[in-house]
Amino acid sequence: MKGNETPFWPASWLDPSGIRADKPRTTGITMVIDKGLGLRAAHDCIQTASPYMDVYKIGFGTSVLYPFEQLQQKVELAKANQLHVMPGGTFFEICCAQAPLESYLARMKAIGFNALEISDGTLPLTKDQRHRAISFAAEAGFTVYSEFGKKTSDYKADINQLLETLEADLYAGASYVIVEARESGNVGVFSESGEMDTDFLHQVTGLAGEQAKRLIWEAPQKHQQVAMLQELGLDVNLGNIAPAEILSLEALRRGLRGDTTVCVLTGRR
C-alpha cells in the first residue's frame, strides 16, 4: 500500500498518477524545512505527513535555540518515522568556522541526527575543505546532503559549476546535491521575482544524465513547485517545503490538485 492507503480508497483515487513510490524513495524526494515548530506542532506534522516527506531539516542555525531535550525529541520523532533529519547548512558553516570539523560531527552524532547538510552558501570553503567535510561526514555514518549555491540576493547559478559540483560531491560521498534557492525562492535558478529559468533547468538535467536524479531543487513557492513538476516530472526532488505545504505538494505530485490533474490524466501539460 502507498502512503495512507486503506481499502476505503481505490488506488486510482489515492494516486491518479500511478507512479508515486513508497518510502524509502530514491526519487520524488520531499525535503521539509522546519523554521521553529514546537514539539507538539512537529509531532502533528510528522504524524500526519511522514509518508509524504523524506528529509526533515531544522533550518538555519535554529538547532541551538531549542531546549536541548526538545531538540533531541524532535530528532528522534523524525527518525522513528523513516525520515532523514539534519540541521541547516548555515549551522554547519558557523560551527566549522569556529571549531574543528570532527567536533561538529561528534556533537551532531550525540544529538542523534542521521543526516547532515554541507554547504558554503554564506561562509566560503575551498574545494578540498568541502570534499573533506562530505567524506568525513559520510564515513561517520551520516547521509550527506551537500548544497550548491550562494545566499546573496544577486546569485545566479552557473551550469558548468553546478555540473562539476554535482559530480565531485557525489564522488566525495554525498547522497544528493541541493540547489540553493533560499526559503524565499529568489536566487539560483529563480529570478528576483521567483520565476524559474526553464532553459537552465533542461540544460542541467540533460547534461547531468542519470546524476540529475541526485539533485534536489529548492522550490518553496507553490508556482515554482508546479513548474518543476511540469518540466521535470512528478518524481522530481524538491526542497525547502514548508510544513503546511507537504500535503499540498503531495497532491500536486499525484494529480490530486487542479494544477497537475490534466497533466496526470491526459499526459498534456
Side-chain angles (χ1 to χ4, degrees):
M1 291 186 180
K2 295 183 178 182
N4 288 339
E5 184 175 350
T6 69
F8 184 80
W9 299 117
S12 61
W13 292 12
L14 181 69
D15 181 12
S17 77
I19 66 170
R20 190 64 168 137
D22 289 332
K23 291 167 59 174
R25 289 179 280 267
T26 57
T27 59
I29 299 297
T30 293
M31 184 190 81
V32 175
I33 182 170
D34 175 345
K35 297 192 287 186
L37 293 181
L39 195 56
R40 291 187 182 89
H43 181 273
D44 287 347
C45 171
I46 292 172
Q47 184 181 51
T48 301
S50 62
Y52 316 123
M53 54 177 158
D54 307 273
V55 187
Y56 195 90
K57 179 165 71 172
I58 299 178
F60 330 121
T62 58
S63 293
V64 297
L65 302 179
Y66 291 91
F68 190 73
E69 288 186 0
Q70 289 189 19
L71 174 63
Q72 287 189 310
Q73 288 179 59
K74 183 180 279 193
V75 169
E76 292 304 316
L77 174 65
K79 290 194 299 184
N81 285 273
Q82 292 184 280
L83 297 173
H84 285 158
V85 55
M86 63 189 186
T90 299
F91 190 47
F92 157 79
E93 295 177 40
I94 293 168
C95 294
C96 290
Q98 301 179 79
L101 171 65
E102 291 80 0
S103 175
Y104 177 76
L105 297 179
R107 288 177 185 269
M108 297 308 102
K109 181 71 74 172
I111 292 168
F113 287 110
N114 59 7
L116 290 180
E117 183 177 29
I118 305 297
S119 68
D120 57 1
T122 303
L123 302 177
L125 295 174
T126 66
K127 288 184 179 180
D128 285 346
Q129 289 172 325
R130 179 185 180 93
H131 297 153
R132 177 178 180 272
I134 292 171
S135 295
F136 276 40
E139 289 170 6
F142 296 99
T143 300
V144 178
Y145 294 82
S146 66
E147 184 174 65
F148 169 81
K150 304 299 180 183
K151 296 188 182 298
T152 53
S153 60
D154 60 347
Y155 171 71
K156 297 301 175 189
D158 178 85
I159 291 175
N160 291 329
Q161 289 179 0
L162 174 52
L163 292 171
E164 290 172 6
T165 300
L166 173 63
E167 183 174 7
D169 285 6
L170 294 180
Y171 182 79
S175 293
Y176 291 88
V177 175
I178 303 163
V179 182
E180 174 73 75
R182 305 205 70 179
E183 72 278 6
S184 52
N186 62 355
V187 299
V189 298
F190 298 109
S191 68
E192 188 176 350
S193 62
E195 297 306 311
M196 187 172 72
D197 187 339
T198 303
D199 290 340
F200 180 99
L201 211 66
H202 287 293
Q203 287 183 61
V204 167
T205 54
L207 292 169
E210 281 298 303
Q211 286 188 340
K213 295 179 181 179
R214 309 283 286 278
L215 289 169
I216 297 177
W217 303 89
E218 290 186 346
Q221 300 182 36
K222 183 243 184 172
H223 76 273
Q224 296 170 343
Q225 297 160 18
V226 172
M228 285 283 184
L229 293 166
Q230 290 177 338
E231 295 296 333
L232 298 184
L234 301 175
D235 61 348
V236 64
N237 304 317
L238 297 177
N240 273 10
I241 307 303
E245 300 298 320
I246 300 166
L247 264 64
S248 296
L249 172 58
E250 189 67 22
L252 288 171
R253 288 191 184 279
R254 296 177 180 226
L256 293 169
R257 196 170 177 182
D259 305 86
T260 55
T261 298
V262 172
C263 173
V264 166
L265 293 182
T266 69
R268 299 197 310 269
R269 292 182 180 176

